[in-house]
Amino acid sequence: MGSGIVTALPLLLFTKSAKKVSLTMLGILQYISSTISLIVGVFLYHEVLTKAHFIAFVFIWCALAVYSISSITKRRQEQMENEINMEA
């Protein structure tokens, strides 16, 4: 009986908190969570990190960097356009 509560409570708290952040931020937080799990596995539990795994990890984070930079650039551009429209 207790295991149901232990399983459900974190999921309910996650659902409640996920409603308060943007989907973009939620996605990035999930990548950070997975990265922390990878670091714990490799350094604490001495799991094997092959060259292929490392290359995939680097490509994933490079793609996230490109996505984040493009999102920030787009947001700034939209803000500048809004400021120009407000002045006119």
Side-chain angles (χ1 to χ4, degrees), residues 32-53:
I32 290 171
S33 170
S34 298
T35 300
I36 291 170
S37 296
L38 174 74
I39 291 169
V40 167
V42 170
F43 292 109
L44 231 62
Y45 298 116
H46 307 290
E47 292 184 12
V48 177
L49 180 65
T50 65
K51 189 175 182 179
H53 290 126

Side-chain angles (χ1 to χ4, degrees), residues 5-78:
I5 293 171
V6 171
T7 301
L9 186 63
L11 293 173
L12 291 171
L13 293 174
F14 173 78
T15 302
K16 188 172 183 170
S17 63
K19 292 178 183 177
K20 296 183 180 189
V21 292
S22 69
L23 291 177
T24 303
M25 180 59 72
L26 186 61
I28 291 172
L29 289 173
Q30 289 191 331
Y31 278 104
I32 290 171
S33 170
S34 298
T35 300
I36 291 170
S37 296
L38 174 74
I39 291 169
V40 167
V42 170
F43 292 109
L44 231 62
Y45 298 116
H46 307 290
E47 292 184 12
V48 177
L49 180 65
T50 65
K51 189 175 182 179
H53 290 126
F54 182 74
I55 291 170
F57 175 78
V58 169
F59 275 123
I60 289 168
W61 275 101
C62 285
L64 285 169
V66 168
Y67 174 77
S68 297
I69 291 168
S70 70
S71 294
I72 291 168
T73 304
K74 183 178 178 183
R75 185 176 303 136
R76 285 184 184 166
Q77 196 173 37
E78 289 173 353

